Amino acid sequence: MKFRDNLKMSYSGLTTHMSRSVLTILGIVIGITAIIIVMSLGQSAQNLIVGEIQSMGPETIVVLPGKQPKGLSDVGGSIFGDSLKERDFKDLSKKENVPDAVNVGPVVFSQINSSYGSETYDTMILGVSPSMFKTFGLEVNPPGTLFGSNDVNEKSSVVILGNKAQTELFGNSDSIGEKIKIKGKNFKVIGVLIKKGQSSFVNFDDHIIAPYTTVQDLSGLKYFNRIAVTAKSVEAIPSVIKDIELVLRTNHKIDDPKNDDFYIQTQEDLVKSISSITDILTIFLGSVAAISLVVGGIGIMNIMFVSVTERTREIGLRKALGATNKNILVQFLTEAVILTVTGGVIGIIFGTGLTALTVVVLNKFAGINFSFSFPIDGALLGLFVSSAVGFIFGIFPARKASLKSPIEALRYE
Amino acid sequence: MLIETKGLKKIYSIDGSETPAVNGINLEIKEGEFVAIIGPSGSGKSTLLQILGCLDRPTGGEYFFDGKEIEKYSDDELAHLRNKKFGFVFQSFNLLGRLSVLENVELPLIYAGIPELKRREMAVKVIGSVGLSDRVDFETMRLSGGQKQRVAIARALVNEPRIIFADEPTGNLDSKSGEIILEFFEKLHEDGHTIVLVTHETYLAESAERIIYLKDGLIEREEIVNHKSFRENKFSK
Ligand SMILES: Nc1ncnc2c1ncn2[C@@H]1O[C@H](COP(=O)(O)OP(=O)(O)OP(=O)(O)O)[C@@H](O)[C@H]1O
Ligand SMILES: [Mg+2]
């Protein structure tokens, strides 16, 4: 007997009890959804960490406003804090205050809408100082140029476009020297970034970059969202942190470190905090997955037992017509596996959708640049797990069906 | 000899009480023969037919099909035998109601591993021979009883079996539909098929060549039917 015939047979067996079949796979759907979210968020977090470290190098540490977040829900505090002022930046930049720092650069960002002619693009405008280009490894294609300290001092209306911003606004046309509009003001495009292609905490490809003073002016900000400090070596980081803390606590008149209105993040911290969040998420969703798969599997087993009993006469008839025990076994096992794999596929779609949604939300509202890609590993795992569940929980009912004696089955009423 | 049994027994034991439904039957059926088995209710007709059709195993005695003892056959070999050599027609039709006429008739061919196109061709042909060409894609649950039994006959024939076992095939039909079914069996016999027909109605049994009378799980007597007198008899009715 051919496998295709078997598939057809099992399929028509299932469609007879459509609504029952749909309800049965709910547990599998939830389980596989959880697996996909774990796998793809884990992957995105991994990308984020890798991107971050590659984009800044391990010597760079970041000073953030607000209190150190203790969990996901605290993220807001670090974004809306306004404790890092111009004076802090000036003081940190002084060689005598932080002797081991080789570079100090402020970062401000703001959500904006940019336009060129009829083209518009919603994005973030990032304000940085010229010293940051090196820190972040940013370069432009000639004949474009980066901006200099003059532009910072004069709050020049110049911008550098990230690769994506360029495409969204100009397509393939040349943008250098053109004027784009942001919040009703004109900005001259002086360069286009060489595509970095690497996602990171800040994905420069997507954004527009301008002198930080210009961005502060534009959005009315009197503070910085970040101050990036590059130590002369990884070994020097602890002393740099001490110095920064001293300067900022003095400036902010803080005696007790508990009252700090800023916190310092090293690359190592970032990796730790992200992995601790993803670990918790993984454990939580992993248990959700395991529980719902087992419960779902038992549901499948139950419904298959019911189905085997209901269809006793059918089994007897098939045997009378020449079906072997194996034919019957395979038929019912295939039904169970079709059920669970269908659940698996729906779970993969749900999981992917939910992950994509999460990523969009994180990008838009938390400014965290999570990259999203279809989780192929997760999808394969989901397919494998769902068919395994069908197999494991389907085998007992299928065996029961296959061992029925033809005449006992035919006589069943 | 196509079928030969020696002291064939089937004793049902449920909760210690034993029912000898078939109690030592010696029987021979030749290729091409049309045999009717008749007897009162509970005499073991169905039980005997099920054992002959390898749907059940005897509890004693020997059963030779085509010269081979089937006692030692595995479940799979029996399935193969039922698939290739036997055709069954049951009183209660036993069709899969949600499947079409074609799909029902194709079932034995699927288990025989015959490819789809060939299968369809073979099935359509037998469906035609039972006069249901216009119902090929009908769900069988929408058919009349007589039509259902014709589908069952088509299904029994589609694998070109060596022998057809029928257990009261007209039992659920009115006399007109029963007549049509009976005519099919007569025609099949004329075409050279071997048929074993269980019934408890004498007039049905009389279309066979030989009638075996069962009583209490034993053969009471056998009788060769004189077809001439039978036809006159039927005519005068
Ligand atoms: N599965 C079974 N378990 C126990 N006893 C059974 C079983 N099947 C049949 N019997 C008994 O075996 C005897 C013969 O039954 P069988 O069905 O062969 O009779 P039959 O001649 O076909 O009767 P009918 O004309 O009513 O169909 C009966 O006494 C019946 O009760
Ligand atoms: Mg009977």
Side-chain angles (χ1 to χ4, degrees), chain B residues 26-46:
Chain B
N26 301 315
L27 179 74
E28 292 188 347
I29 297 171
K30 285 198 282 288
E31 181 113 49
E33 238 190 322
F34 184 176
V35 177
I37 299 173
I38 195 166
S41 186
S43 57
K45 307 181 295 292
S46 296

Side-chain angles (χ1 to χ4, degrees), chain A residues 17 86 180 201 205 207 228 284 294 386 391:
Chain A
H17 298 289
E86 181 78 25
I180 64 168
F201 190 73
D205 284 343
H207 298 137
F284 172 69
V294 169
S386 56
F391 207 87

Side-chain angles (χ1 to χ4, degrees), chain A residues 77-249:
Chain A
S78 68
I79 289 164
F80 302 114
D82 60 354
S83 56
L84 300 175
K85 302 284 201 286
E86 181 78 25
R87 182 174 152 226
D88 297 325
F89 168 55
K90 289 268 143 61
D91 288 348
L92 290 176
S93 304
K94 285 181 187 141
K95 197 75 194 164
E96 66 268 25
N97 284 340
V98 192
D100 284 344
V102 291
N103 184 36
V104 179
V107 180
V108 284
F109 43 76
S110 172
Q111 195 72 33
I112 49 113
N113 174 276
S114 60
S115 64
Y116 176 72
S118 60
E119 302 296 331
T120 61
Y121 179 50
D122 279 324
T123 185
M124 197 117 83
I125 188 161
L126 297 170
V128 298
S129 66
S131 66
M132 312 278 290
F133 294 129
K134 195 158 158 280
T135 311
F136 292 123
L138 301 179
E139 291 169 308
V140 292
N141 280 314
T145 53
L146 297 164
F147 50 77
S149 35
N150 275 353
D151 295 307
V152 172
N153 295 337
E154 289 161 21
K155 302 181 182 174
S156 309
S157 296
V158 294
V159 290
I160 298 167
L161 299 181
N163 215 276
K164 179 148 181 247
Q166 153 78 24
T167 327
E168 291 286 332
L169 291 172
F170 292 93
N172 290 326
S173 332
D174 198 9
S175 57
I176 309 288
E178 298 294 324
K179 294 241 158 75
I180 64 168
K181 261 196 169 33
I182 300 171
K183 289 197 173 172
K185 288 185 193 148
N186 283 324
F187 289 82
K188 191 170 127 198
V189 178
I190 57 166
V192 177
L193 288 181
I194 293 175
K195 195 169 178 175
K196 295 192 73 188
Q198 178 62 61
S199 64
S200 83
F201 190 73
V202 180
N203 188 350
F204 294 95
D205 284 343
D206 288 354
H207 298 137
I208 294 174
I209 296 156
Y212 71 92
T213 49
T214 311
V215 176
Q216 280 185 317
D217 231 32
L218 182 74
S219 49
L221 295 177
K222 300 246 178 315
Y223 56 88
F224 301 115
N225 298 94
R226 304 279 188 274
I227 296 175
V229 180
T230 306
K232 67 179 185 196
S233 68
V234 176
E235 288 72 37
I237 288 179
S239 75
V240 170
I241 290 177
K242 270 211 187 67
D243 294 339
I244 296 173
E245 282 172 348
L246 195 64
V247 170
L248 293 184
R249 280 180 196 144

Side-chain angles (χ1 to χ4, degrees), chain A residues 408 411, chain B residues 12 14 19 21 39-48 168 200:
Chain A
E408 290 300 328
R411 238 195 306 255
Chain B
Y12 292 111
I14 291 174
T19 315
S41 186
S43 57
K45 307 181 295 292
S46 296
T47 306
L48 176 61
E168 305 199 31
H200 50 235

